[in-house]
Amino acid sequence: MSAQTSPAEKGLNPGLTCQESYACSGTDEAIFECDECCSLQCLRCEEELHRQERLRNHERIRLKPGHVPYCDLCKGLNGHSPGVRQRAIVRCQTCKINLCLECQKRTHSGGNKRRHPVTVYNISNLQESLEAEAMDEESKRQKMTEKVVSFLLVDENEEIQVTNEEDFIRKLDCKPDQHLKVVSIFGNTGDGKSHTLNHTFFYGREVFKTSPTQESCTVGVWAAYDPVHKVAVIDTEGLLGATVNLSQRTRLLLKVLAISDLVIYRTHADRLHNDLFKFLGDASEAYLKHFTKELKATTARCGLDVPLSTLGPAVIIFHETVHTQLLGSDHHSEVPEKLIQDRFRKLGRFPEAFSSIHYKGTRTYNPPTDFSGLRRALEQLLENNTTRSPRHPGVIFKALKALSDRFSGEIPDDQMAHSSFFPDEYFTCSSLCLSCGVGCKNSMNHGKEGVPHEAQSRCRYSHQYDNRVYTCKACYERGEEVSVVPKTSASTDSPWMGLAKYAWSGYVIECPNCGVVYRSRQYWFGNQDPVDTVVRTEIVHVWPGTDGFLKDNNNAAQRLLDGMNFMAQSVSELSLGPTKAVTSWLTDQIAPAYWRPNSQILSCNKCATSFKDNDTKHHCRACGEGFCDSCSSKTRPVPERGWGPAPVRVCDNCYEARNVQLDVTEAQGDDEGGTLIARKVGEAVQNTLGAVVTAIDIPLGLVKDAARPAYWVPDHEILHCHNCRKEFSIKLSKHHCRACGQGFCDECSHDRRAVPSRGWDHPVRVCFNCNKKPGDL
């Protein structure tokens, strides 16, 4: 760096002598300043010193007229901004260091050092030196911002316009590991927000578009990188200007505010309007209520090294007036920030989310506007990292993306007549309970995280939705809350026996811990309501798109059709019609244990007449053997078999021996289930078999809709497979998943699983997606 000194350069700073005395005696005039050597150096000393290998790369500057060196001690620690070095006013000849006023007082005001000789620098040259330095610095900064351009970050529909983190960094034109802060601006349309950013950060260059027309020049959210202050600058759309998607555009402003470290609220009004205080107050409330939780979740979910602060940004109210005085200028004892807090309090708004609120005003008697005060205030706040620290641009993008994913979706403007700038409807789930109409209290899109709908108030019962759920009372008294579901049959019953029991004894309530706790028609009369005996009830909300309530005791008809369809296919190869085969098979499934199976009855047990295909076989209710109609035409009560006092069919032999009591063992009685099983058979055979015969005689398609459970999607609404999207045709049959009720092709629903929550305790058809779900369906 050294060079020969021209004669003209000598004598520029006659009061500054070499402070090294390395190659001279310390009397030569100083020509260079080496910051790393912390000394002024003459030409000879500079050359000799920096020939050494370890000193060769030191940065030196050539002194200019009136040069005053920096203080060697303070390094910006004496109440000055961090990293800002102060100019020295004296040099201690004994200590050989330069000292500013504060450092001289701190180190040389007492003891022996007070007597050290000092050289006073020419203070009159200091101002000239500082001004020249400031001009050089300003020129460098301006050059750094010459290539800065802005880009659309989020459009007016809340859609992020950068594809990913790398695209965001590329458009910002900054390094991925660069730590930076975010500065955004808000205000009414036409108040000069873009103009303010251009002059505050980019020396008047039109980085953000401005326009003299009536139309708003900023639509959506635009961003640019300021390499001087190392901040991402964000320009927003003006308030009171948008007429389309107003609610979504307003919500977008709060997302920008949430990722900002410093917010400028720009107002050109001669007096501060209430809208300013309402906007900031409502923004603070919405931030605390909806955004702090999401920012914490984003920090944990993304594993960010820099935590996203749950305390909001600092706010600067930049107030430009023309005809009125600035806030607090008429009473010098009043602090503007105190007056602003009073205004918030009077309007019932409390900006607790913001880390601080500052007021910066400027009165423009003659244009242009002076932005220097705003710039200094911004620089001071940006250097404060106490509340919000700089972070990588990738962290900023992740925070914006997380908020956009969570708080998105259309908001009808005609439903948003609110007094608040940021009503809860902008950020909470829009689903309403179908029964009581109350809204869900959770954040938008909470379903993506598996969080169910919730409401703050209790629901009311609706017959339309039957929104009453049961819990087992016995389990509740033991400290457990176990939901129970009224269904067709118990899990321990076979499918056909359960169907027969349902036909006779009604629906069943079964607890996983206590077993069957209730049957709706267990007794001939006097059956109590389950609410009064075995279950507790709770009225719950009905949310759109949910499966409703698993109280499905109405699948008996479909269970019958499923079994009938299976049986009809099983006997389809026989020459006779399926009716008799189905009837015989079904009778065997629900017959008492002492009845001889139909398949073993080949001839009448009395007259030995062989049964033909279409002949009807009759069982004697007393002995259980098979007879023809003529040999079993008589009736008498058979109470010992559990058939009660009513006369039932018996064979001739048993009729004649009616005065002889049958010997029915206790074990056999237990196997048959006592009188209860007999009752089931009595009516179940009559009702259930009648339904089977009717159903087989009628094509399946005509009765399928009548038998369809309530949660199944109707056949006429199913046009294609819910999974593979294949279109249904005559060759491609529709199948319902017993768990979700959607329509699938056979290939996508060939799995079999029990669905106890829907009343299917035995393996039934389920779709590919439901089969993948863990646990019980």
Side-chain angles (χ1 to χ4, degrees), residues 77 222 297 344 450 454 476 696:
L77 300 178
W222 292 73
F344 275 116
E454 293 181 89
Y476 180 78
I696 286 184

Side-chain angles (χ1 to χ4, degrees), residues 255-534:
K255 296 178 189 177
V256 174
L257 183 144
I259 65 170
S260 300
D261 301 286
L262 189 54
V263 168
I264 305 169
Y265 191 99
R266 172 72 156 100
T267 177
H268 207 289
D270 275 339
R271 293 178 178 84
L272 297 180
H273 294 162
N274 285 346
D275 282 350
L276 180 155
F277 298 95
K278 290 179 179 179
F279 174 85
L280 293 176
D282 293 342
S284 170
E285 182 180 356
Y287 183 92
L288 291 174
K289 191 171 184 180
H290 303 290
F291 278 35
T292 52
K293 180 180 179 181
E294 183 60 27
L295 289 173
K296 286 181 179 178
T298 302
T299 302
R301 186 167 57 247
C302 300
L304 302 179
D305 296 331
V306 180
L308 301 171
S309 176
T310 54
L311 187 61
V315 177
I316 293 182
I317 298 174
F318 181 53
H319 184 204
E320 181 182 3
T321 67
V322 177
H323 305 291
T324 57
Q325 295 179 342
L326 299 176
L327 190 65
S329 60
D330 49 345
H331 297 90
H332 297 291
S333 61
E334 293 180 341
V335 180
E337 285 75 12
K338 177 66 168 58
L339 298 175
I340 288 174
Q341 292 293 341
D342 291 341
R343 284 286 297 275
F344 275 116
R345 201 173 298 110
K346 288 178 181 178
L347 292 171
R349 300 297 199 275
F350 303 96
E352 299 168 345
F354 303 122
S355 56
S356 60
I357 296 181
H358 305 268
Y359 174 86
K360 193 64 187 177
T362 181
R363 186 171 181 179
T364 305
Y365 294 95
N366 296 301
T369 304
D370 179 15
F371 294 101
S372 60
L374 174 62
R375 187 182 301 112
R376 287 192 298 270
L378 284 168
E379 290 172 347
Q380 185 177 359
L381 289 172
L382 287 172
E383 289 170 358
N384 182 4
N385 297 328
T386 305
T387 304
R388 298 173 76 99
S389 302
R391 58 235 188 249
H392 294 146
V395 176
I396 297 171
F397 176 78
K398 287 177 181 177
L400 178 62
K401 183 72 167 60
L403 295 177
S404 293
D405 290 343
R406 171 52 63 91
F407 305 107
S408 59
E410 293 186 2
I411 309 173
D413 288 341
D414 56 354
Q415 298 180 13
M416 294 292 109
H418 295 280
S419 58
S420 171
F421 275 95
F422 302 100
D424 287 344
E425 287 81 357
Y426 286 9
F427 311 101
T428 55
C429 178
S430 59
S431 296
L432 300 177
C433 173
L434 299 176
S435 179
C436 66
V438 70
C440 174
K441 69 175 184 178
N442 289 334
S443 298
M444 284 184 164
N445 301 311
H446 58 86
K448 294 179 180 179
E449 298 179 357
V451 179
H453 293 291
E454 293 181 89
Q456 291 181 333
S457 59
R458 299 185 63 180
C459 193
R460 63 170 179 263
Y461 179 72
S462 169
H463 288 283
Q464 178 183 357
Y465 300 105
D466 193 20
N467 53 329
R468 179 173 53 188
V469 295
Y470 298 135
T471 55
C472 176
K473 186 176 290 185
C475 291
Y476 180 78
E477 291 173 353
R478 293 195 300 267
E480 300 179 71
E481 190 161 343
V482 180
S483 295
V484 292
V485 181
K487 54 186 180 179
T488 303
S489 63
S491 58
T492 55
D493 292 334
S494 66
W496 283 103
M497 182 59 72
L499 189 61
K501 290 181 180 180
Y502 171 70
W504 181 259
S505 299
Y507 70 85
V508 61
I509 297 179
E510 183 178 18
C511 171
N513 299 333
C514 307
V516 175
V517 295
Y518 179 80
R519 286 190 182 274
S520 61
R521 294 196 301 271
Q522 184 169 1
Y523 306 106
W524 289 106
F525 60 90
N527 292 295
Q528 292 183 294
D529 190 279
V531 177
D532 300 328
T533 54
V534 295

Side-chain angles (χ1 to χ4, degrees), residues 26-79:
T27 57
D28 288 6
E29 182 182 346
I31 303 298
F32 296 97
E33 180 178 29
C34 179
D35 191 45
E36 291 174 83
C37 293
C38 295
S39 64
L40 302 178
Q41 300 166 3
C42 66
L43 182 62
R44 288 188 294 162
C45 289
E46 187 270 336
E47 288 180 348
E48 294 294 331
L49 279 169
H50 294 96
R51 280 183 183 149
Q52 302 175 50
E53 183 67 28
R54 62 187 182 87
L55 306 178
R56 184 169 297 171
N57 295 323
H58 282 191
E59 288 291 332
R60 289 93 72 195
I61 62 170
R62 192 178 295 273
L63 302 184
K64 296 179 180 180
H67 179 81
V68 177
Y70 286 109
C71 174
D72 295 327
L73 294 183
C74 70
K75 305 290 186 183
L77 300 178
N78 297 313

